[in-house]
Amino acid sequence: NPFNSQSRISYNLIESGNVDLSLFDVSGRLVSNLVQGHRQAGLNITTINGNSLTSGVYIVKMKSENKISQQKVILIK
């Protein structure tokens, strides 16, 4: 799932609750907090802005009330 300067991240919540969606580099360093706070149940969408990032592999990690998941993304400039 390579992306250029911007990419949309969509996630579906079973129930409303707090969400922490963050972008990390491959060394595990936090690059950006994409979403923090309460979100409604259903489909939610946010955007990664990679204009200030270097090309490479990043990890998008989401923590919600009942789930933790992560996805590898590749930024190609």
Side-chain angles (χ1 to χ4, degrees):
N1 56 2
F3 71 99
N4 287 325
S5 296
Q6 291 190 349
S7 182
R8 290 172 40 155
I9 302 288
S10 61
Y11 54 97
N12 198 4
L13 298 176
I14 297 170
E15 56 188 39
S16 297
N18 289 320
V19 172
D20 181 8
L21 186 67
S22 301
L23 183 67
F24 295 89
D25 65 15
V26 291
S27 298
R29 290 182 295 241
L30 178 65
V31 174
S32 177
N33 288 316
L34 303 171
V35 174
Q36 284 186 312
H38 189 270
R39 296 295 181 262
Q40 296 297 321
L43 182 63
N44 292 268
I45 299 172
T46 192
T47 302
I48 296 175
N49 184 341
N51 288 331
S52 64
L53 302 175
T54 60
S55 294
V57 177
Y58 294 88
I59 306 296
V60 177
K61 184 174 182 179
M62 184 184 96
K63 293 186 222 176
S64 65
E65 299 287 331
N66 56 0
K67 187 175 182 180
I68 297 175
S69 62
Q70 56 187 23
Q71 173 83 32
K72 179 173 65 170
V73 295
I74 302 170
L75 173 61
I76 299 174
K77 289 189 172 183

Coordinates of all heavy atoms in Angstrom, one line a residue:
N1 N 0.8 -1.2 0.0 CA 0.0 0.0 0.0 C 0.9 1.3 0.0 O 0.8 2.1 0.9 CB -1.0 0.0 1.2 CG -0.3 -0.2 2.5 OD1 1.0 -0.3 2.6 ND2 -1.0 -0.3 3.5
P2 N 1.7 1.4 -1.0 CA 2.5 2.7 -1.1 C 1.6 3.9 -1.3 O 0.5 3.8 -1.8 CB 3.3 2.5 -2.3 CG 3.0 1.1 -2.9 CD 1.9 0.6 -2.1
F3 N 2.1 5.0 -0.7 CA 1.4 6.3 -0.9 C 2.4 7.4 -1.2 O 3.6 7.3 -0.9 CB 0.5 6.6 0.3 CG 1.2 7.0 1.6 CD1 1.3 8.3 1.9 CD2 1.7 6.0 2.4 CE1 2.0 8.7 3.1 CE2 2.4 6.4 3.6 CZ 2.5 7.7 3.9
N4 N 1.9 8.5 -1.8 CA 2.7 9.6 -2.0 C 2.6 10.6 -0.9 O 2.7 10.2 0.3 CB 2.3 10.3 -3.4 CG 2.8 9.4 -4.5 OD1 3.8 8.8 -4.5 ND2 2.0 9.4 -5.6
S5 N 2.4 11.9 -1.1 CA 2.4 12.9 -0.1 C 1.3 12.7 0.9 O 1.4 13.0 2.1 CB 2.4 14.3 -0.7 OG 3.5 14.5 -1.4
Q6 N 0.1 12.3 0.5 CA -1.0 12.1 1.4 C -1.7 10.8 1.1 O -1.7 10.3 0.0 CB -2.0 13.2 1.2 CG -1.5 14.6 1.6 CD -2.6 15.6 1.6 OE1 -3.7 15.4 1.1 NE2 -2.3 16.7 2.3
S7 N -2.3 10.2 2.2 CA -3.0 9.0 2.1 C -4.2 9.1 3.1 O -4.0 9.6 4.2 CB -2.1 7.8 2.4 OG -2.9 6.6 2.2
R8 N -5.3 8.5 2.7 CA -6.4 8.4 3.6 C -6.4 7.1 4.4 O -6.2 6.1 3.8 CB -7.7 8.6 2.9 CG -7.9 10.0 2.3 CD -9.1 10.1 1.4 NE -10.2 9.3 1.9 CZ -11.5 9.6 1.5 NH1 -11.8 10.6 0.7 NH2 -12.5 8.8 2.0
I9 N -6.6 7.2 5.7 CA -6.7 6.0 6.5 C -8.2 5.9 7.0 O -8.7 6.9 7.6 CB -5.8 6.1 7.8 CG1 -4.4 6.3 7.4 CG2 -6.0 4.9 8.7 CD1 -3.7 5.1 6.8
S10 N -8.8 4.8 6.7 CA -10.2 4.6 7.2 C -10.2 3.5 8.2 O -9.4 2.5 8.1 CB -11.1 4.3 6.0 OG -10.8 3.1 5.4
Y11 N -11.1 3.6 9.2 CA -11.2 2.6 10.2 C -12.7 2.6 10.7 O -13.4 3.6 10.7 CB -10.3 2.8 11.4 CG -10.4 4.2 12.0 CD1 -11.1 4.4 13.2 CD2 -9.7 5.3 11.5 CE1 -11.2 5.7 13.8 CE2 -9.8 6.5 12.1 CZ -10.5 6.7 13.2 OH -10.6 8.0 13.7
N12 N -13.1 1.4 11.0 CA -14.5 1.2 11.4 C -14.6 0.8 12.8 O -14.0 -0.1 13.3 CB -15.2 0.1 10.5 CG -16.7 0.1 10.5 OD1 -17.3 1.0 11.1 ND2 -17.2 -0.8 9.8
L13 N -15.4 1.6 13.6 CA -15.5 1.3 15.0 C -16.9 0.7 15.3 O -17.9 1.1 14.8 CB -15.4 2.6 15.8 CG -14.1 3.4 15.8 CD1 -14.2 4.7 16.6 CD2 -13.0 2.5 16.3
I14 N -16.9 -0.4 16.1 CA -18.1 -1.1 16.4 C -18.9 -0.3 17.3 O -20.1 -0.2 17.2 CB -17.8 -2.5 17.1 CG1 -17.0 -3.3 16.1 CG2 -19.0 -3.1 17.6 CD1 -16.5 -4.6 16.6
E15 N -18.3 0.4 18.3 CA -19.0 1.3 19.2 C -18.2 2.6 19.4 O -17.0 2.6 19.1 CB -19.2 0.6 20.5 CG -18.0 0.1 21.2 CD -18.2 -0.7 22.4 OE1 -19.2 -1.5 22.4 OE2 -17.5 -0.6 23.4
S16 N -18.8 3.7 19.8 CA -18.2 4.9 20.0 C -17.2 4.8 21.2 O -17.4 4.0 22.1 CB -19.2 6.0 20.4 OG -20.1 6.3 19.4
G17 N -16.1 5.5 21.1 CA -15.1 5.5 22.2 C -13.8 6.2 21.8 O -13.7 6.8 20.8
N18 N -12.9 6.1 22.7 CA -11.6 6.8 22.5 C -10.7 6.1 21.5 O -10.7 4.8 21.6 CB -10.9 7.0 23.9 CG -11.5 8.0 24.8 OD1 -12.0 9.0 24.3 ND2 -11.6 7.7 26.0
V19 N -10.1 6.8 20.7 CA -9.2 6.3 19.7 C -7.9 7.0 19.7 O -7.8 8.2 19.9 CB -9.8 6.4 18.2 CG1 -8.9 6.0 17.2 CG2 -11.1 5.6 18.1
D20 N -6.8 6.2 19.6 CA -5.5 6.8 19.4 C -4.9 6.2 18.2 O -4.6 5.0 18.1 CB -4.6 6.4 20.6 CG -3.2 7.0 20.6 OD1 -2.9 7.8 19.7 OD2 -2.4 6.6 21.4
L21 N -4.7 7.0 17.1 CA -4.2 6.5 15.9 C -2.9 7.3 15.6 O -2.9 8.5 15.6 CB -5.2 6.8 14.7 CG -4.9 6.3 13.3 CD1 -4.9 4.8 13.3 CD2 -5.9 6.8 12.3
S22 N -1.8 6.6 15.6 CA -0.5 7.2 15.5 C 0.4 6.6 14.4 O 0.2 5.4 14.0 CB 0.3 7.0 16.8 OG -0.5 7.6 17.9
L23 N 1.3 7.4 13.9 CA 2.3 7.0 12.9 C 3.7 6.9 13.5 O 4.1 7.8 14.1 CB 2.3 8.0 11.7 CG 3.1 7.7 10.5 CD1 2.5 6.5 9.8 CD2 3.2 8.9 9.6
F24 N 4.3 5.7 13.3 CA 5.7 5.5 13.8 C 6.6 5.1 12.7 O 6.2 4.6 11.7 CB 5.6 4.2 14.8 CG 4.8 4.5 16.0 CD1 3.5 4.2 16.0 CD2 5.4 5.0 17.2 CE1 2.7 4.4 17.2 CE2 4.7 5.2 18.3 CZ 3.3 4.9 18.3
D25 N 7.9 5.5 12.9 CA 8.9 5.0 11.9 C 9.3 3.6 12.2 O 8.8 3.0 13.3 CB 10.1 5.9 11.8 CG 10.9 6.0 13.1 OD1 10.8 5.1 14.0 OD2 11.7 6.9 13.2
V26 N 10.1 2.9 11.4 CA 10.4 1.5 11.7 C 11.3 1.3 12.9 O 11.4 0.2 13.4 CB 11.1 0.9 10.4 CG1 10.2 0.7 9.3 CG2 12.4 1.6 10.0
S27 N 11.8 2.4 13.5 CA 12.6 2.2 14.7 C 11.7 2.3 15.9 O 12.1 2.2 17.1 CB 13.6 3.4 14.8 OG 14.6 3.2 13.8
G28 N 10.4 2.6 15.7 CA 9.4 2.7 16.8 C 9.2 4.1 17.3 O 8.5 4.3 18.3
R29 N 9.9 5.1 16.7 CA 9.7 6.4 17.2 C 8.4 7.0 16.6 O 8.1 6.9 15.5 CB 10.9 7.3 16.7 CG 12.2 7.0 17.4 CD 13.3 7.9 16.9 NE 13.5 7.6 15.5 CZ 14.7 7.2 15.0 NH1 15.7 7.0 15.8 NH2 14.8 7.0 13.7
L30 N 7.7 7.7 17.5 CA 6.5 8.4 17.1 C 6.8 9.5 16.1 O 7.6 10.4 16.4 CB 5.8 9.0 18.4 CG 4.5 9.7 18.1 CD1 3.4 8.8 17.6 CD2 4.0 10.4 19.4
V31 N 6.1 9.5 15.0 CA 6.2 10.5 14.0 C 5.1 11.5 14.0 O 5.3 12.7 13.9 CB 6.3 9.8 12.6 CG1 6.3 10.9 11.5 CG2 7.5 8.9 12.4
S32 N 3.9 11.0 14.2 CA 2.7 11.9 14.3 C 1.5 11.2 15.0 O 1.3 10.0 14.8 CB 2.3 12.2 12.8 OG 1.1 13.0 12.8
N33 N 0.8 12.0 15.8 CA -0.5 11.6 16.3 C -1.5 12.0 15.3 O -1.8 13.2 15.1 CB -0.7 12.3 17.7 CG 0.1 11.7 18.8 OD1 0.3 10.5 18.9 ND2 0.7 12.6 19.6
L34 N -2.1 11.0 14.7 CA -3.1 11.3 13.6 C -4.5 11.6 14.2 O -5.2 12.5 13.7 CB -3.2 10.2 12.6 CG -1.8 9.8 12.0 CD1 -2.0 8.5 11.2 CD2 -1.4 11.0 11.1
V35 N -4.9 10.8 15.2 CA -6.2 10.9 15.9 C -6.0 10.7 17.3 O -5.4 9.7 17.7 CB -7.2 10.0 15.3 CG1 -8.5 10.0 16.0 CG2 -7.5 10.2 13.8
Q36 N -6.6 11.5 18.2 CA -6.6 11.3 19.6 C -8.0 11.8 20.1 O -8.3 13.0 19.9 CB -5.5 12.0 20.3 CG -4.2 11.3 20.2 CD -3.1 11.9 21.0 OE1 -2.9 13.1 21.0 NE2 -2.4 11.1 21.7
G37 N -8.7 10.9 20.8 CA -9.9 11.4 21.4 C -11.1 10.5 21.0 O -11.0 9.5 20.4
H38 N -12.3 11.0 21.4 CA -13.5 10.3 21.2 C -14.0 10.3 19.8 O -13.9 11.4 19.1 CB -14.6 10.9 22.1 CG -15.8 10.0 22.2 ND1 -16.9 10.2 21.3 CD2 -16.2 9.0 23.0 CE1 -17.8 9.3 21.5 NE2 -17.4 8.6 22.6
R39 N -14.4 9.2 19.2 CA -14.9 9.1 17.9 C -16.2 8.3 17.9 O -16.4 7.4 18.7 CB -13.9 8.4 16.9 CG -12.6 9.2 16.7 CD -12.9 10.5 16.0 NE -11.7 11.2 15.8 CZ -11.2 12.2 16.5 NH1 -11.9 12.6 17.6 NH2 -10.1 12.9 16.2
Q40 N -17.1 8.6 17.0 CA -18.4 7.9 16.9 C -18.2 6.5 16.2 O -17.3 6.3 15.5 CB -19.3 8.7 16.0 CG -19.7 10.1 16.6 CD -20.4 9.9 17.9 OE1 -21.3 9.0 18.1 NE2 -20.1 10.8 18.9
A41 N -19.1 5.6 16.5 CA -19.2 4.3 15.9 C -19.4 4.5 14.4 O -20.0 5.4 13.9 CB -20.3 3.5 16.5
G42 N -18.9 3.5 13.6 CA -19.0 3.5 12.2 C -17.7 3.9 11.5 O -16.6 3.8 12.1
L43 N -17.8 4.2 10.3 CA -16.7 4.5 9.4 C -16.1 5.9 9.8 O -16.8 6.9 9.8 CB -17.0 4.5 8.0 CG -15.9 4.7 7.0 CD1 -14.8 3.6 7.1 CD2 -16.4 4.8 5.6
N44 N -14.8 5.9 10.1 CA -14.1 7.2 10.3 C -12.9 7.2 9.4 O -12.3 6.2 9.0 CB -13.5 7.2 11.8 CG -14.6 7.3 12.8 OD1 -15.0 8.4 13.2 ND2 -15.2 6.2 13.2
I45 N -12.6 8.5 8.9 CA -11.5 8.6 8.0 C -10.6 9.8 8.4 O -11.0 10.8 8.9 CB -12.0 9.0 6.6 CG1 -12.9 7.8 6.1 CG2 -10.9 9.3 5.6 CD1 -13.6 8.1 4.8
T46 N -9.3 9.6 8.3 CA -8.3 10.6 8.6 C -7.2 10.6 7.5 O -7.2 9.6 6.7 CB -7.6 10.5 10.0 OG1 -6.9 11.7 10.3 CG2 -6.7 9.3 10.1
T47 N -6.4 11.6 7.4 CA -5.4 11.7 6.4 C -4.0 11.8 6.9 O -3.7 12.5 7.9 CB -5.6 13.0 5.5 OG1 -7.0 12.9 5.0 CG2 -4.6 13.1 4.4
I48 N -3.1 11.0 6.3 CA -1.7 11.1 6.7 C -1.1 12.1 5.7 O -1.2 12.0 4.5 CB -0.9 9.8 6.4 CG1 -1.4 8.7 7.4 CG2 0.6 10.0 6.6 CD1 -0.8 7.4 7.1
N49 N -0.4 13.1 6.2 CA 0.3 14.1 5.4 C 1.8 13.8 5.5 O 2.4 14.0 6.5 CB 0.0 15.5 5.9 CG 0.6 16.6 5.0 OD1 1.5 16.3 4.2 ND2 0.2 17.8 5.1
G50 N 2.3 13.3 4.4 CA 3.7 12.8 4.4 C 4.6 13.9 3.7 O 5.8 13.5 3.4
N51 N 4.2 15.1 3.6 CA 5.0 16.1 2.9 C 6.4 16.3 3.6 O 7.4 16.5 3.0 CB 4.3 17.4 2.8 CG 3.2 17.4 1.8 OD1 3.3 16.6 0.8 ND2 2.2 18.2 2.0
S52 N 6.4 16.2 4.9 CA 7.6 16.5 5.7 C 8.4 15.2 6.0 O 9.4 15.3 6.7 CB 7.3 17.3 7.0 OG 6.5 16.5 7.8
L53 N 7.9 14.1 5.6 CA 8.5 12.8 5.9 C 9.4 12.3 4.8 O 9.2 12.7 3.6 CB 7.4 11.7 6.1 CG 6.4 12.0 7.2 CD1 5.4 10.9 7.2 CD2 7.1 12.1 8.6
T54 N 10.4 11.5 5.1 CA 11.3 10.9 4.1 C 10.6 9.6 3.6 O 9.8 9.0 4.2 CB 12.6 10.6 4.7 OG1 12.5 9.7 5.7 CG2 13.4 11.8 5.1
S55 N 11.0 9.2 2.4 CA 10.5 8.0 1.8 C 10.9 6.8 2.7 O 12.0 6.9 3.3 CB 11.1 7.7 0.4 OG 10.6 8.7 -0.5
G56 N 10.0 5.8 2.9 CA 10.4 4.7 3.7 C 9.1 4.0 4.2 O 8.0 4.3 3.8
V57 N 9.4 3.1 5.1 CA 8.3 2.3 5.7 C 7.9 2.9 7.1 O 8.8 3.3 7.9 CB 8.8 0.8 6.0 CG1 7.8 0.0 6.7 CG2 9.3 0.2 4.6
Y58 N 6.6 3.0 7.3 CA 6.1 3.5 8.5 C 5.0 2.5 9.0 O 4.5 1.7 8.3 CB 5.4 4.9 8.3 CG 6.5 5.9 7.9 CD1 6.8 6.1 6.6 CD2 7.1 6.7 8.9 CE1 7.8 7.1 6.3 CE2 8.0 7.6 8.6 CZ 8.4 7.8 7.3 OH 9.3 8.7 7.0
I59 N 4.7 2.6 10.3 CA 3.6 1.8 10.9 C 2.5 2.7 11.4 O 2.8 3.7 12.2 CB 4.2 1.0 12.1 CG1 5.4 0.2 11.7 CG2 3.1 0.1 12.7 CD1 5.2 -0.9 10.7
V60 N 1.3 2.4 11.0 CA 0.1 3.1 11.6 C -0.4 2.2 12.7 O -0.8 1.0 12.4 CB -0.9 3.3 10.5 CG1 -2.2 4.0 11.1 CG2 -0.4 4.2 9.4
K61 N -0.5 2.7 13.9 CA -1.0 1.9 15.0 C -2.3 2.5 15.6 O -2.3 3.7 15.8 CB 0.0 1.8 16.1 CG -0.4 0.9 17.3 CD 0.8 0.8 18.2 CE 0.5 -0.2 19.4 NZ 1.6 -0.3 20.3
M62 N -3.3 1.7 15.7 CA -4.6 2.2 16.3 C -4.9 1.5 17.6 O -4.9 0.2 17.6 CB -5.7 2.0 15.3 CG -7.0 2.6 15.8 SD -8.4 2.3 14.7 CE -9.1 0.9 15.5
K63 N -5.2 2.2 18.6 CA -5.7 1.7 19.8 C -7.1 2.3 20.0 O -7.3 3.5 20.0 CB -4.9 2.1 21.0 CG -3.5 1.5 21.0 CD -2.8 1.9 22.3 CE -1.4 2.3 22.1 NZ -0.7 2.8 23.3
S64 N -8.1 1.4 20.3 CA -9.4 1.8 20.6 C -9.8 1.1 21.9 O -9.0 0.4 22.5 CB -10.4 1.5 19.5 OG -10.5 0.1 19.3
E65 N -11.1 1.3 22.3 CA -11.5 0.8 23.6 C -11.3 -0.8 23.7 O -11.1 -1.3 24.7 CB -13.0 1.1 23.8 CG -13.3 2.6 23.8 CD -12.9 3.2 25.1 OE1 -12.9 2.5 26.2 OE2 -12.6 4.4 25.1
N66 N -11.5 -1.5 22.5 CA -11.5 -2.9 22.6 C -10.5 -3.6 21.6 O -10.6 -4.8 21.3 CB -12.9 -3.5 22.4 CG -13.5 -3.0 21.1 OD1 -12.9 -2.3 20.3 ND2 -14.8 -3.4 20.9
K67 N -9.6 -2.8 20.9 CA -8.8 -3.4 19.9 C -7.5 -2.6 19.7 O -7.5 -1.4 19.9 CB -9.6 -3.4 18.6 CG -8.9 -4.1 17.5 CD -9.7 -4.2 16.3 CE -9.0 -5.0 15.2 NZ -9.8 -5.1 14.0
I68 N -6.5 -3.3 19.4 CA -5.2 -2.7 19.0 C -4.8 -3.3 17.7 O -4.8 -4.5 17.6 CB -4.1 -2.9 20.0 CG1 -4.4 -2.3 21.4 CG2 -2.8 -2.4 19.5 CD1 -3.4 -2.6 22.5
S69 N -4.5 -2.5 16.7 CA -4.1 -3.0 15.4 C -3.0 -2.1 14.8 O -2.9 -1.0 15.2 CB -5.3 -3.2 14.5 OG -5.9 -1.9 14.2
Q70 N -2.3 -2.7 13.9 CA -1.2 -1.9 13.2 C -1.1 -2.4 11.8 O -1.4 -3.5 11.4 CB 0.1 -2.0 13.9 CG 0.7 -3.3 14.2 CD 1.9 -3.3 15.0 OE1 2.1 -2.3 15.8 NE2 2.7 -4.3 14.9
Q71 N -0.7 -1.4 10.9 CA -0.6 -1.7 9.5 C 0.7 -1.0 9.0 O 1.0 0.1 9.4 CB -1.8 -1.0 8.8 CG -1.8 -1.1 7.3 CD -2.2 -2.4 6.7 OE1 -3.1 -3.0 7.3 NE2 -1.7 -2.8 5.6
K72 N 1.4 -1.7 8.2 CA 2.6 -1.1 7.6 C 2.2 -0.3 6.4 O 1.3 -0.8 5.6 CB 3.6 -2.3 7.1 CG 4.8 -1.8 6.5 CD 5.8 -2.9 6.2 CE 5.3 -3.9 5.2 NZ 6.3 -4.9 4.8
V73 N 2.8 0.9 6.2 CA 2.6 1.7 5.0 C 3.9 2.1 4.5 O 4.9 2.2 5.2 CB 1.7 2.9 5.3 CG1 0.3 2.5 5.7 CG2 2.3 3.8 6.4
I74 N 4.0 2.4 3.2 CA 5.2 2.7 2.5 C 5.0 4.1 1.8 O 4.1 4.2 1.0 CB 5.7 1.7 1.5 CG1 5.8 0.3 2.2 CG2 6.9 2.1 0.8 CD1 6.0 -0.8 1.2
L75 N 5.9 5.0 2.2 CA 5.8 6.4 1.6 C 6.9 6.4 0.5 O 8.1 6.1 0.7 CB 6.2 7.4 2.6 CG 6.3 8.9 2.1 CD1 5.1 9.4 1.4 CD2 6.8 9.8 3.2
I76 N 6.4 6.7 -0.7 CA 7.3 6.8 -1.9 C 7.1 8.2 -2.5 O 6.1 8.7 -2.8 CB 6.9 5.8 -3.0 CG1 7.0 4.4 -2.4 CG2 7.8 6.0 -4.2 CD1 6.6 3.3 -3.4
K77 N 8.3 8.9 -2.5 CA 8.2 10.3 -3.1 C 8.9 10.3 -4.4 O 9.7 9.6 -4.8 CB 8.9 11.3 -2.1 CG 8.1 11.5 -0.9 CD 8.8 12.6 -0.1 CE 7.9 13.0 1.0 NZ 8.4 14.1 1.8

